[in-house]
């Protein structure tokens, strides 16, 4: 008899963004005349940068010629992308070895897959509100999860304290969903906590490219000693508009080691390499050429212009909320604006109000955890016209 993984019984019925998609599809079907403005899932709308497209086209041509055709590539990615990333990190003050970088099909997959190298006995610490993937992937493994609370008082940036007992810590900065970003001093506290408790930090830096202020770290490795306690997960989804193209990377430093029960020293880099070579066949060559181009000087420039377009959307949104006197977080180092629901509405109540009365899709804060109740997340990834129109609708009706 096949025994199922009964931990799945402990999951919510559906993944947050699938639940929202179902609700929106129903609304669209029933209201075909309404122009729905989508500010829910953080999906980009601008096309790939020209330098990325050119690199991928060239790679397609190579794949069609016997002499340059490639079959299986290295599971951890081609060195040409590792090298591009080493240079990218160096610009932000972090020195990495190429063998510390693993190319993947995105940070969402790696956030879940990385749990393979940790025992199910670990206690997992997640901030609340939180990107639901951290929670659900650990529920699937039956792990104990503890929460640290993000509140308006701590600017949705919870900090460690000695009462917390945790082995694996998820941090996301700039944060999804709140848009809040840790300073270097705050990350130093988390690193100190992890080192003191022999814990490992899983640092999700998927939104690093939105940071423009030199005081906000774009990588946890700007903190000295972080390489002894942190894995960094990142993605090209938002940096270079790869939500549909799929490419990400995970950094596992060689300095990150833990002792097994029998005293064997386990290098997490080697474990992750073993996991990836066993369960993953790598990202397509064509996509990796696109990724390499995104991190080239020209790529960073072209992608930067795209990011600036989204930042301007965020500014337009913040202006409207300021006018209406609505409190919000984020929007500065992040494409997300985490707004308080007006008139004391609950998250789902406000979500329904926005959808049904204004034909705007947001993401209810409660979908990111208990502490998200009373908040709603809007994204700045829409078109300029859509963003302006949504703000006009909100200005008139809230
Ligand atoms: C979000 O909207 O939270 C993200 O787009 C989801 C993701 O990156 O998987």
């Amino acid at each position: 008899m096949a025994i199922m993984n009964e931990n799945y019984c402990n999951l919510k019925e559906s993944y947050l963004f699938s639940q929202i998609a179902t609700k929106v599809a129903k609304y669209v079907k029933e209201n075909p005349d309404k122009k729905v403005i989508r500010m829910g899932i953080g999906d980009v709308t601008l096309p790939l940068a020209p330098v990325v497209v050119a690199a991928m086209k060239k790679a397609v041509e190579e794949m069609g010629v016997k002499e340059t055709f490639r079959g299986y590539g290295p599971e951890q990615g081609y060195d040409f992308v590792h090298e591009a990333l080493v240079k990218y990190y160096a610009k932000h003050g972090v020195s990495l070895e190429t063998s510390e970088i693993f190319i993947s099909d995105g940070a969402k997959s790696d956030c879940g897959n990385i749990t393979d190298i940790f025992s199910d006995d670990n206690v997992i610490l997640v901030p609340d509100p939180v990107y639901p993937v951290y929670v659900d992937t650990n529920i699937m493994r039956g792990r104990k999860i503890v929460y640290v609370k993000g509140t308006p008082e701590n600017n949705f940036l919870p900090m460690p304290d000695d009462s917390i007992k945790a082995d694996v810590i998820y941090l996301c900065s700039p944060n999804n969903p709140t848009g809040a970003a840790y300073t270097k001093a705050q990350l130093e506290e988390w690193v100190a906590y992890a080192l003191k408790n022999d814990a490992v930090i899983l640092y999700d830096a998927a939104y690093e490219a939105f940071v423009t202020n030199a005081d906000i770290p774009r990588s946890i490795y700007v903190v000295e000693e972080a390489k002894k306690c942190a894995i960094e997960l990142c993605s090209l989804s938002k940096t270079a508009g790869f939500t549909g193209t799929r490419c990400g990377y995970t950094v596992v430093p060689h300095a990150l080691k833990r002792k097994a029960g029998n005293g064997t020293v386990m290098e997490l880099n080697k474990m992750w390499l073993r996991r990836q070579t066993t369960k993953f066949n790598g990202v397509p060559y064509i996509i990796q050429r696109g990724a390499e181009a995104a991190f080239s000087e020209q790529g960073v420039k072209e992608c930067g212009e795209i990011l600036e377009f989204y930042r301007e959307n965020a500014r337009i949104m913040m202006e409207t909320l300021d006018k209406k006197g609505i409190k919000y977080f984020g929007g500065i180092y992040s494409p997300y604006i985490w707004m308080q629901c007006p008139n004391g509405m609950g998250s789902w109540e406000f979500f329904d109000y926005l959808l049904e009365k204004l034909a705007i899709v947001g993401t209810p804060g409660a979908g990111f955890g208990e502490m998200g109740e009373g908040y709603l997340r809007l994204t700045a990834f829409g078109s300029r016209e859509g963003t302006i129109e949504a703000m006009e609708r909100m200005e008139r009706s809230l």
Side-chain angles (χ1 to χ4, degrees), residues 188-219:
E188 277 167 354
E189 280 190 48
W190 276 109
V191 166
Y193 171 90
L195 290 172
K196 186 172 164 197
N197 294 282
D198 230 356
V200 173
I201 296 173
L202 301 178
Y203 188 78
D204 182 346
Y207 298 89
E208 59 81 23
F210 278 86
V211 173
T212 45
N213 181 338
D215 298 345
I216 302 292
R218 296 178 64 151
S219 162

Side-chain angles (χ1 to χ4, degrees), residues 275-388:
R275 190 270 174 210
Q276 290 298 77
T277 49
T278 306
K279 293 196 182 182
F280 184 55
N281 256 337
V283 173
Y285 172 70
I286 297 158
I287 305 294
Q288 292 196 59
R289 281 295 185 196
E292 177 194 24
F295 292 113
S296 67
E297 211 168 300
Q298 181 63 14
V300 170
K301 184 171 165 283
E302 290 178 15
C303 293
E305 283 160 16
I306 295 170
L307 294 174
E308 198 43 42
F309 176 89
Y310 297 135
R311 285 193 196 101
E312 179 58 20
N313 280 350
R315 280 192 281 270
I316 292 167
M317 292 157 71
M318 290 191 285
E319 212 173 270
T320 304
L321 296 180
D322 286 338
K323 261 194 229 163
K324 300 297 291 181
I326 296 173
K327 198 170 163 62
Y328 61 88
F329 296 81
I332 300 173
Y333 313 116
S334 155
Y336 297 131
I337 293 188
W338 181 246
M339 65 178 284
Q340 208 163 37
C341 302
N343 307 320
M345 275 191 257
S347 292
W348 280 103
E349 191 187 355
F350 185 46
F351 170 88
D352 288 338
Y353 174 91
L354 278 185
L355 181 61
E356 281 154 26
K357 299 274 190 294
L358 308 185
I360 296 172
V361 182
T363 307
F368 297 102
E370 259 175 49
M371 300 309 293
E373 184 50 270
Y375 286 83
L376 181 122
R377 194 194 74 175
L378 293 175
T379 92
F381 283 126
S383 66
R384 183 61 42 78
E385 314 79 76
T387 304
I388 292 173

Side-chain angles (χ1 to χ4, degrees), residues 33-53:
D33 54 315
K34 288 272 168 46
K35 183 179 161 205
V36 175
I37 303 177
R38 293 165 196 270
M39 306 176 103
I41 191 162
D43 197 2
V44 295
T45 51
L46 288 180
L48 296 171
V51 71
V52 171
V53 175

Side-chain angles (χ1 to χ4, degrees), residues 150-328:
T151 63
E153 290 70 36
N154 61 22
N155 289 317
F156 288 99
L157 292 168
M159 296 302 298
D161 68 56
D162 285 340
S163 68
I164 301 168
K165 297 277 164 271
D167 310 303
V168 178
I169 300 159
Y170 283 87
L171 295 179
C172 176
S173 181
N175 186 266
N176 179 13
T178 67
Y182 283 114
T183 61
K184 186 174 175 200
Q186 288 173 317
L187 288 182
E188 277 167 354
E189 280 190 48
W190 276 109
V191 166
Y193 171 90
L195 290 172
K196 186 172 164 197
N197 294 282
D198 230 356
V200 173
I201 296 173
L202 301 178
Y203 188 78
D204 182 346
Y207 298 89
E208 59 81 23
F210 278 86
V211 173
T212 45
N213 181 338
D215 298 345
I216 302 292
R218 296 178 64 151
S219 162
I220 194 164
Y221 302 122
V222 296
V223 175
E224 224 178 298
E225 306 271 277
K227 284 187 183 167
K228 292 186 184 154
C229 65
I231 291 174
E232 184 158 290
L233 304 118
C234 206
S235 158
L236 278 84
S237 285
K238 322 289 151 113
T239 306
F242 272 49
T243 51
T245 309
R246 306 309 310 149
C247 192
Y249 50 95
T250 289
V251 179
V252 190
H254 291 300
L256 187 47
K257 297 172 188 171
R258 289 294 182 268
K259 260 203 189 127
N262 66 5
T264 309
V265 175
M266 302 183 85
E267 261 191 52
L268 274 66
N269 179 290
K270 272 197 188 155
M271 292 173 74
W272 183 239
L273 179 65
R274 187 69 175 84
R275 190 270 174 210
Q276 290 298 77
T277 49
T278 306
K279 293 196 182 182
F280 184 55
N281 256 337
V283 173
Y285 172 70
I286 297 158
I287 305 294
Q288 292 196 59
R289 281 295 185 196
E292 177 194 24
F295 292 113
S296 67
E297 211 168 300
Q298 181 63 14
V300 170
K301 184 171 165 283
E302 290 178 15
C303 293
E305 283 160 16
I306 295 170
L307 294 174
E308 198 43 42
F309 176 89
Y310 297 135
R311 285 193 196 101
E312 179 58 20
N313 280 350
R315 280 192 281 270
I316 292 167
M317 292 157 71
M318 290 191 285
E319 212 173 270
T320 304
L321 296 180
D322 286 338
K323 261 194 229 163
K324 300 297 291 181
I326 296 173
K327 198 170 163 62
Y328 61 88

